[in-house]
Amino acid sequence: MPEMRSHVCFAGLLLVGAAVYFSPISALAKLVFENETYSHICLIPLVSLFLLMTERKSIFAAAARTPAAGFPVCAAGLVFYGLAILLRGHLSSQAFRNQDVPNDYLTLCMAGAVAWVVGSFIAVYGLRAFKKARFALLFLVFTIPIPVFLLDAVVTALQHASAEVADIVFRLAGAPYHRSDLVFEFSNVAVRVAEECSGIRSSLSLFILSIITGHLFLRTFSRRVILALAIFPVTVLKNAFRIVTITLLANYVDMRFITDHWIHRSGGIPFFAVAMGMFIPLVWALRRTEKSGTETDEKGMVVTIVR
């Protein structure tokens, strides 16, 4: 186990980083509490810390200081921060969902902050310890806001895919309607699949959950990739189910289901449960396929798995 002096040194480097990146961290904290799209970010450091603590024996058993390898990573983080300050005027002036601080500016800043944390860890505990702790440390990447151009592309893809699947479900239900792109017109109501229907928040939550679940419960890299990629169709199906449910209730039962009913305003939790109802069996099925046979892990080594 490393000496207490090593832990104090690492804590000191983290405090220095907190002082250097105080401004963007404060701005990000504002977004976390004002914008639900970023609400998951506050939990990411806690998850990383939990993973480090649960695996601390194996991680710190390999500890050996390598400042020559760690400090260049810290320097790269400072370069990212410098670029963010230098290019701030050229980045998008409007953040995703109309926030005060440019989203892409925070993307570069927080990339630098994560690099500082990783570099500090390598400098104090060494590369061998980093290899054992890399998942917990690299999990901090989820504290970095997604660039607006990428986030918009994901939202648009989810929005249109959800409309297509909802169209199929409406046809199967036999409900008469007319469709014009993202607009569905029924006898008593017309609905448009807006970006709020994309489920970007639940998509991010499910994607992060898939990464953690794959790390904890799946042994092979291929299954982890399948689980992560499956989040898109799971989210689309969940969105379509929500669109169809609310629309048909509004058209045939009460218009208030689409205007001021709780199921429209804050019904995300029950529909998220629908997504979990698809996610959990998928994890179980992927685990079952690992019970026997051979597989190639993320290092390219062939692993034999026995019952």
Side-chain angles (χ1 to χ4, degrees):
M1 295 292 287
E3 300 175 356
M4 181 58 66
R5 184 169 54 184
S6 297
H7 296 317
V8 173
C9 182
F10 181 57
L13 287 172
L14 291 182
L15 288 175
V16 171
V20 172
Y21 295 94
F22 178 78
S23 177
I25 290 174
S26 299
L28 182 64
K30 180 181 178 182
L31 290 185
V32 167
F33 289 104
E34 291 185 356
N35 191 323
E36 64 180 16
T37 305
Y38 300 95
S39 59
H40 65 276
I41 289 180
C42 61
L43 299 176
I44 301 301
L46 298 177
V47 175
S48 292
L49 181 60
F50 172 78
L51 293 172
L52 284 173
M53 293 303 295
T54 55
E55 302 173 8
R56 63 185 182 278
K57 290 185 178 180
S58 62
I59 291 172
F60 295 130
R65 296 181 184 179
T66 54
F71 288 140
V73 180
C74 294
L78 294 176
V79 170
F80 274 112
Y81 190 23
L83 286 174
I85 296 174
L86 183 65
L87 300 175
R88 182 168 184 172
H90 300 281
L91 297 174
S92 175
S93 61
Q94 186 177 25
F96 186 71
R97 302 286 171 84
N98 301 316
Q99 294 302 315
D100 295 334
V101 180
N103 188 95
D104 294 352
Y105 165 74
L106 287 182
T107 299
L108 286 174
C109 290
M110 292 309 299
V114 171
W116 179 276
V117 174
V118 172
S120 299
F121 186 93
I122 294 173
V124 175
Y125 300 113
L127 288 170
R128 289 180 59 194
F130 169 70
K131 289 179 181 178
K132 294 181 177 295
R134 64 181 180 272
F135 180 86
L137 292 171
L138 296 181
F139 190 73
L140 291 171
V141 166
F142 289 113
T143 62
I144 303 174
I146 302 173
V148 169
F149 78 92
L150 182 57
L151 202 55
D152 283 339
V154 173
V155 168
T156 301
L158 286 170
Q159 187 179 357
H160 284 80
S162 299
E164 293 299 329
V165 176
D167 186 34
I168 295 173
V169 177
F170 280 135
R171 291 178 184 274
L172 292 175
Y177 66 95
H178 171 73
R179 180 186 176 186
S180 177
D181 194 18
L182 297 176
V183 178
F184 295 87
E185 298 179 14
F186 288 80
S187 57
N188 297 317
V189 66
V191 297
R192 179 179 183 273
V193 181
E195 74 167 28
E196 289 79 8
C197 301
S198 66
I200 184 63
R201 180 188 177 188
S202 60
S203 298
L204 289 173
S205 299
L206 282 169
F207 182 74
I208 293 171
L209 179 62
S210 73
I211 299 299
I212 300 175
T213 303
H215 174 71
L216 295 176
F217 299 104
L218 300 177
R219 300 183 185 94
T220 53
F221 181 71
S222 62
R223 269 72 169 187
R224 294 171 183 172
V225 171
I226 292 172
L227 182 62
L229 294 178
I231 297 306
F232 186 85
V234 166
T235 302
V236 168
L237 287 171
K238 182 265 297 180
N239 291 345
F241 181 73
R242 183 176 186 179
I243 294 167
V244 170
T245 300
I246 294 175
T247 301
L248 294 182
L249 285 173
N251 189 66
Y252 294 110
V253 180
D254 193 326
M255 184 70 71
R256 287 177 296 179
F257 277 104
I258 208 167
T259 55
D260 60 355
H261 197 275
W262 70 268
I263 200 171
H264 184 235
R265 297 192 312 271
S266 55
I269 293 179
F271 291 103
F272 187 81
V274 173
M276 291 301 296
M278 293 180 278
F279 179 80
I280 293 174
L282 177 60
V283 175
W284 177 84
L286 290 173
R287 275 182 62 87
R288 290 287 296 176
T289 64
E290 291 184 325
K291 289 296 183 180
S292 61
T294 60
E295 181 58 89
T296 302
D297 69 3
E298 59 267 33
K299 297 180 181 179
M301 300 177 65
V302 175
V303 180
T304 301
I305 305 170
V306 296
R307 292 185 182 275

